[in-house]
Every structure is written in C-alpha cells, then in structure tokens.
Amino acid sequence: MENLERLAIHTMTTKPWDLPTAVKKYSQAGVGGLGLWRQWLEGRTLETSKALLDDHGIKAVSLVRGGFFPGLTPAERSASLDDNRRALDEAAAIGAPQLVLVCGARPDQSLSENRRQIMEGIAACIDHAASVGVKLSIEPLHPMYADCRSAVNTIGQCNDIIDQLGDAWVGIAADVYHIWWDPNLEQEIRRAGKRILGFHVCDWLTPTQDFLNDRGLMGEGCIDIRGIRQEVEAAGFCGWIEVEIFSSRHWDRDQDAFLSDIITAYKSHV
Ligand code: ZN
C-alpha cells in the first residue's frame, strides 16, 4: 500500500456512494485521504462524520466547496460570505486543512465586476479562515466556465490575487483539468511555489461530450498529468494528490470496479 500514501479521492468521484460507503471502500482499498464535498455532510452531525472518518483512518484533505462570491445585490454577496464562513467552520470540524474555493461568476454582470467581487469576497473571509485555522484554496477553473462558475481561470490570476491578499491564509488548488492548456503554466506554477495547497487529477477527453460531467480517468485523455505533477512538486508541493472525476459514464459503472481502475490509473499515469 506504500505507493498509495498520498492518494485521496473526492466523494464526488464515486458519486453513487454515500459517506459511510465511500469511507469504508476507500479504507479497504488502502486510500487514506478524501476530498469531502459538502453535500456528503448532510444528514448527520459534523461530529458523526468526523468519527466516521477517524474510525476508518481516513483524513479529510479538503472541503469542497466554498466561493461563489459574485452577486447582483449586497444581500446576495453577504449571504455568500455567511455560507463561506459556515463552510470554514465545517472544514475545521472535520479536520480539513483547506476549503476549496470555486470563486463564481454571474453572466448578467461584467467579467471585471465578477473579478472585483471575488477579490472582495476572498478578502472578507481571511479573518474567519485564520480564526478557525483553515486555509482558503482558490481553484482556477477552465475558461469555459468563466460565465457562471468562476471568473478566476489561471494560476497566474491566483498568483495576482494572492500577491494582493497575502499567502498566510490563501493558496491555490491546482486541478489539471482546468490548467493543462495554459501556455504560462510552468512559470506560474514556479511563481506560486508553496502557495499550491492542493493538486487535483483527472483527464481531458476528446471529444468532450459534456463540459461538466465528462471528465476522464487519468490516462484516458491528453493531459500530461505526470509532467504537471513534476512541476508542482519542483515548486515545493508535497501534499495529497486528489482524484476528482465528474463522469456520468463512470458513475453509471459498478463503483467497486471504478475504484479499482482509479488505483491502477493512479499508479500508471500520476
Ligand atoms: Zn478540482
């Protein structure tokens, strides 16, 4: 099991499994980390979820997800901040060191206004992050999502944001699906250095049938996952490698077989 020691899997990857099932299956397979999506916390207390993880020797390596800062009215933006503070509290309660931020965007306001509100939103969360000891990891999303999911689309943009906000409580979640195409990737990863707090892997399929739910298992697509891993590690990253695959095709399969394929793909392609 030695070579699985940095492998974590997002609960979204095995979407058909609830938390008790995912925790049991990951643990049996020798996977020690889990990226916990907030939906998987519903229906039981945070204490119960934490005990479930502890009993199986599973570490929550990230809570997914906060963010979605832009809003058309001050009331919407303030509700988003409240939700982010709740998410930080949840992360602290389950022992997750970071909250992944999908920063948000509204198609009914300008890109520059979305970006301004994101900066303002992250800044407004820093004190709470510090008070509960949980870092804010900005995950840049592929620009195809710049209309409604995130107006932060490159590692370079994350670096610019962090240059302004400081890196004590703000870092970066680098997901190969979102960043692989970027001609400045290598230099921006080097610039980010230890700001990189999370590394997410899957693959880009050609043709992609669905822009949300057709991601590939590592090795099924064209991303140089190993090359990007070498770059983030050369920059100082030594944390968990999180498998995050949104795939209707894989969700429709037997999840035990899929988990076994994930482990094989991790060993061969990551
Ligand atoms: Zn991700």
Side-chain angles (χ1 to χ4, degrees):
M1 295 299 178
E2 183 63 20
N3 55 358
L4 297 184
E5 63 184 6
R6 288 174 61 195
L7 171 61
I9 300 179
H10 279 220
T11 51
M12 185 60 97
T13 299
T14 52
K15 191 177 173 186
W17 284 345
D18 62 12
L19 188 63
T21 308
V23 159
K24 186 176 82 186
K25 300 281 191 180
Y26 296 175
S27 164
Q28 284 168 354
V31 177
L34 157 153
L36 191 41
W37 282 61
R38 293 177 74 193
Q39 300 91 306
W40 272 259
L41 290 172
E42 288 166 14
R44 73 185 74 72
T45 65
L46 292 166
E47 292 72 20
T48 306
S49 293
K50 176 71 164 72
L52 198 55
L53 296 169
D54 290 346
D55 289 348
H56 290 83
I58 300 270
K59 162 87 181 149
V61 308
S62 56
L63 184 71
V64 194
R65 57 200 181 180
F68 293 97
F69 297 109
L72 292 186
T73 63
E76 274 182 52
R77 297 196 288 278
S78 150
S80 154
L81 293 180
D82 289 343
D83 190 54
N84 277 286
R85 291 186 197 105
R86 266 195 304 278
L88 285 163
D89 292 342
E90 290 168 10
I94 59 157
Q98 60 183 312
L99 173 67
V100 174
L101 300 181
V102 170
C103 290
R106 295 284 306 237
D108 38 13
Q109 65 186 8
S110 73
L111 198 48
S112 58
E113 179 60 15
N114 281 322
R115 289 176 173 153
R116 194 192 66 72
Q117 292 179 2
I118 287 167
M119 176 71 93
E120 193 176 77
I122 298 171
C125 290
I126 290 176
D127 284 352
H128 198 78
S131 76
V132 296
V134 173
K135 292 202 173 186
L136 299 159
S137 279
I138 308 171
E139 178 166 19
L141 294 200
H142 190 284
M144 69 181 169
Y145 299 122
D147 59 339
C148 62
R149 289 180 189 276
S150 183
V152 177
N153 310 104
T154 62
I155 300 274
Q157 251 182 296
C158 295
N159 277 324
D160 291 344
I161 291 170
I162 298 171
D163 280 349
Q164 290 193 50
L165 298 181
D167 56 13
W169 293 99
V170 187
I172 301 170
D175 185 324
V176 298
Y177 190 76
H178 299 297
I179 61 176
W180 69 278
W181 56 273
D182 182 352
N184 295 322
L185 187 60
E186 193 172 354
Q187 74 194 57
E188 289 296 341
I189 285 175
R190 216 176 301 127
R191 178 180 163 208
K194 295 207 168 200
R195 290 171 172 179
I196 296 174
L197 305 177
F199 183 56
H200 303 177
V201 296
C202 67
D203 216 333
W204 184 281
L205 298 177
T206 307
T208 294
Q209 308 283 355
D210 182 290
F211 283 152
L212 189 59
N213 295 322
D214 190 29
R215 299 183 193 185
L217 183 63
M218 299 81 75
E220 286 185 324
C222 62
I223 301 178
D224 176 16
I225 301 168
R226 210 162 249 175
I228 300 175
R229 175 181 174 170
Q230 283 163 1
E231 289 168 13
V232 298
E233 291 184 346
F237 177 75
C238 56
W240 292 85
I241 293 168
E242 303 171 45
V243 175
E244 182 189 25
I245 304 171
F246 291 42
S247 168
S248 304
R249 180 173 53 97
H250 286 300
W251 292 331
D252 283 346
R253 299 175 52 204
D254 172 69
Q255 295 299 285
D256 288 299
F258 181 35
L259 177 59
S260 161
D261 288 350
I262 289 169
I263 290 170
T264 304
Y266 175 77
K267 290 177 180 169
S268 330
H269 299 284
V270 182

